[in-house]
Amino acid sequence: MDIENQKSKTRRLSKWFKRKKKRADPFHLSEDSVEDESDDYLDNVLLRSREMDPTISINELRIFVGTWNVAGRSPVGSLAVDLDEWLNLKDAADMYVLGFQEIVPLKTLNVIGAEDPTEATNWNMLIGKTLNNKYGCPWLTPMLNIISSDNYHYAGSPNWKKRSSVGGRIGTPTRERSRNPSEKLNGNSKYKLMASKKMVGVFVSVWMKRELLRKFCVSNVKVCSVACGIMGYLGNKGAVSVSMSIEGTSFCFIAAHLASGEKKGDEIRRNHQVSEIFRRTSFPQAAKTDNSSPPLNIMGHDQIFWFGDLNYRLCLEDSFARQLIKKQDWKALQEFDQLRREQKDARVFQGWQEGDIDFAPTYKYSSSNHNRYSGGLPSKAGEKQRTPAWCDRILWYGRGIKQISYFRSESKFSDHRPVSGLFSTQVKMLSLPVQELLHCTPFFPP
């Protein structure tokens, strides 16, 4: 009976929010705009929430978003130094969202064969060790099983602790559930792996400060992958995405690897892949919930981050590009940036934002000398001729997002330089009555 009551409340709340949103638009008229008696109950819930705390509670969350094409190379222990520099741990963020491309070589067997989680696990172990090296024992980093199902859904555990209702405030735990010895050891770590998803070489890994998991209600962690490479459906190109809710704000993180090539018209293929990722990415409702609610898509989230090797190039001759790079005239070089042009002409990422690019192009560096770009004159034997470009990018969409920094790191591990952005985001805190209605309580990691 309790389960049925909870399902009923969830359905009523979902429909109520939809009607509220539509009622706010005086030009929107539909049969869904008709109110029913349950609206009175939910209006009273909202009223009680405002009476207990008349101000809208907003918390800041600092999110580090990074992308790195690692050129099919496996992580090694010495790479921890590069990771430390890339993750900028001297100014640690609350969350780390990392997207990788080509964590395995894009060979036929890797593309059409069964997924092998080995490299993803290796990267997660190294990331966890780097993030937690200063906090407790890095070799005891807690790991989640790699999420491999696109229907994965996390909505909490019955062992969560309850929030305190003193003064109508939420977020303060009253007591902690007992842990076994191994859990206590793992509790020394500072960052917790929240979600991880691999598709061939595309990989996303999301980490969050453990202390925030005791403060915030984190729910509905889901993943999705979209393959749009060879023949439009193989995973050598495409995206892996994570959807999650932190309190009353929904987030979507998309790590992508788009079509390569610098010939005229290659940007059309990239634009098409972006549209396919938008169209085919969805996060299904959890089992045993209201089936009338459609799957959540990318644009259905409050705050969205799209990052990866997007492969957009520079529309100018190689020699001219290298001259501008030598002068470090990034503003002039951006006039020829393919992605900016496609956005300006409303062919892709309409309404999306990207920070000012105040760093050198991130691709393609020579395999024999990682301090210089591949190609150029005089040409080197066996070296690919590529015009340098800002292939690795981070874009965002939504309100309450402010970019603090946008930079590249100088690791010479691959032919791409890693890129990262630090963001300040606003998270709307759920009021206690809504918490009670949703039975939503903080996530306490093992």
Side-chain angles (χ1 to χ4, degrees), residues 338-356:
Q338 198 175 70
L339 177 56
R340 295 285 173 96
R341 288 188 173 186
E342 294 299 298
Q343 283 187 280
K344 185 178 179 180
D345 294 337
R347 287 192 282 261
V348 73
F349 289 119
Q350 297 181 50
W352 287 65
Q353 299 183 64
E354 183 185 19
D356 291 331

Side-chain angles (χ1 to χ4, degrees), residues 192-211:
K192 168 80 173 176
L193 176 60
M194 299 299 297
S196 182
K197 177 66 179 174
K198 172 186 177 293
M199 179 189 71
V200 187
V202 190
F203 173 58
V204 65
S205 184
V206 179
W207 298 74
M208 193 171 186
K209 276 185 178 178
R210 184 176 288 269
E211 64 187 67

Side-chain angles (χ1 to χ4, degrees), residues 247-285:
E247 291 290 332
T249 302
S250 58
F251 290 83
C252 188
F253 304 105
I254 306 105
H257 192 188
L258 304 182
S260 61
E262 56 184 24
K263 300 188 302 294
K264 185 176 181 179
D266 284 339
E267 70 277 9
I268 298 175
R269 291 195 298 141
R270 291 187 268 274
N271 293 349
H272 175 71
Q273 288 178 345
V274 170
S275 65
E276 281 294 289
I277 293 168
F278 272 119
R279 184 178 68 86
R280 291 161 52 191
T281 298
S282 65
F283 304 96
Q285 297 294 319

Side-chain angles (χ1 to χ4, degrees), residues 65 103 111 136 153 172 188 236 306 344 354 364 370 380 424 433:
V65 178
I103 66 168
V111 173
H153 171 85
T172 304
N188 290 329
N236 59 308
W306 188 306
K344 185 178 179 180
E354 183 185 19
K364 171 181 173 66
H370 295 289
K380 306 292 182 180
S424 171

Side-chain angles (χ1 to χ4, degrees), residues 180-373:
N180 62 41
S182 64
E183 288 177 329
K184 290 179 180 178
L185 288 173
N186 287 341
N188 290 329
S189 65
K190 184 164 185 175
Y191 288 90
K192 168 80 173 176
L193 176 60
M194 299 299 297
S196 182
K197 177 66 179 174
K198 172 186 177 293
M199 179 189 71
V200 187
V202 190
F203 173 58
V204 65
S205 184
V206 179
W207 298 74
M208 193 171 186
K209 276 185 178 178
R210 184 176 288 269
E211 64 187 67
L212 294 181
L213 298 177
R214 293 177 170 86
K215 178 180 179 181
F216 294 141
C217 173
V218 180
S219 61
N220 298 319
V221 182
K222 306 174 187 177
V223 297
C224 179
S225 61
V226 173
C228 50
I230 300 171
M231 298 183 293
Y233 284 95
L234 291 186
N236 59 308
K237 295 294 186 291
V240 290
S241 307
V242 174
S243 171
M244 64 192 302
S245 292
I246 303 176
E247 291 290 332
T249 302
S250 58
F251 290 83
C252 188
F253 304 105
I254 306 105
H257 192 188
L258 304 182
S260 61
E262 56 184 24
K263 300 188 302 294
K264 185 176 181 179
D266 284 339
E267 70 277 9
I268 298 175
R269 291 195 298 141
R270 291 187 268 274
N271 293 349
H272 175 71
Q273 288 178 345
V274 170
S275 65
E276 281 294 289
I277 293 168
F278 272 119
R279 184 178 68 86
R280 291 161 52 191
T281 298
S282 65
F283 304 96
Q285 297 294 319
K288 300 181 181 180
T289 60
D290 182 12
N291 294 325
S292 65
S293 299
L296 187 64
N297 58 25
I298 290 175
M299 297 306 294
H301 294 78
D302 297 315
Q303 299 184 7
I304 314 166
F305 297 87
W306 188 306
F307 46 100
D309 181 0
L310 307 189
N311 255 320
Y312 288 94
R313 306 304 174 97
L314 292 174
C315 303
L316 80 169
E317 292 182 1
D318 180 82
S319 59
F320 187 29
R322 293 173 190 265
Q323 289 177 22
L324 291 177
I325 292 170
K326 188 175 182 179
K327 295 178 182 178
Q328 297 187 13
D329 193 346
W330 313 133
K331 186 175 182 179
L333 199 62
Q334 284 178 59
E335 294 296 320
F336 302 93
D337 179 67
Q338 198 175 70
L339 177 56
R340 295 285 173 96
R341 288 188 173 186
E342 294 299 298
Q343 283 187 280
K344 185 178 179 180
D345 294 337
R347 287 192 282 261
V348 73
F349 289 119
Q350 297 181 50
W352 287 65
Q353 299 183 64
E354 183 185 19
D356 291 331
I357 303 176
D358 193 25
F359 50 83
T362 55
Y363 174 82
K364 171 181 173 66
Y365 280 87
S366 170
S367 58
S368 59
N369 183 351
H370 295 289
N371 291 315
R372 67 171 182 80
Y373 292 106

Side-chain angles (χ1 to χ4, degrees), residues 360-423:
T362 55
Y363 174 82
K364 171 181 173 66
Y365 280 87
S366 170
S367 58
S368 59
N369 183 351
H370 295 289
N371 291 315
R372 67 171 182 80
Y373 292 106
S374 179
L377 296 174
S379 60
K380 306 292 182 180
E383 194 169 82
K384 292 183 178 180
Q385 180 69 36
R386 294 288 185 271
T387 301
W390 286 297
C391 290
D392 310 280
R393 313 289 279 267
I394 302 172
L395 293 84
W396 74 89
Y397 187 96
R399 296 180 179 179
I401 304 174
K402 179 182 179 182
Q403 188 173 63
I404 299 172
S405 61
Y406 191 27
F407 58 95
R408 66 172 238 173
S409 298
E410 297 307 319
S411 171
K412 300 170 184 177
F413 184 69
S414 81
D415 56 354
H416 288 252
R417 293 293 195 261
V419 171
S420 54
L422 182 62
F423 297 86

Side-chain angles (χ1 to χ4, degrees), residues 33-154:
S33 300
V34 179
E35 302 180 22
D36 60 30
E37 294 180 359
S38 65
D39 280 4
D40 293 335
Y41 165 73
L42 291 165
D43 283 335
N44 288 335
V45 169
L46 183 61
L47 180 60
R48 284 194 292 121
S49 171
R50 289 174 176 170
E51 287 174 347
M52 295 173 69
D53 187 359
T55 62
I56 299 175
S57 180
I58 302 291
N59 273 26
E60 179 191 14
L61 193 68
R62 284 161 53 92
I63 302 178
F64 178 102
V65 178
T67 178
W68 194 2
N69 185 320
V70 295
R73 297 189 62 190
S74 299
V76 293
S78 59
L79 190 59
V81 176
D82 293 23
L83 278 180
D84 188 90
E85 187 258 342
W86 179 36
L87 302 181
N88 192 26
L89 295 177
K90 293 179 181 179
D91 187 22
D94 298 317
M95 286 184 65
Y96 283 86
V97 182
L98 307 178
F100 295 84
Q101 303 80 43
E102 297 187 41
I103 66 168
V104 297
L106 298 183
K107 299 178 180 178
T108 303
L109 183 61
N110 289 333
V111 173
I112 66 175
E115 285 286 354
D116 183 352
T118 303
E119 292 302 325
T121 301
N122 291 339
W123 276 104
N124 275 335
M125 291 296 292
L126 184 58
I127 295 166
K129 180 178 179 180
T130 304
L131 287 176
N132 293 308
N133 188 45
K134 299 177 182 178
Y135 315 100
C137 303
W139 56 87
L140 292 176
T141 296
M143 305 302 297
L144 289 179
N145 291 329
I146 302 301
I147 300 171
S148 59
S149 170
D150 287 356
N151 294 322
Y152 171 85
H153 171 85
Y154 175 79

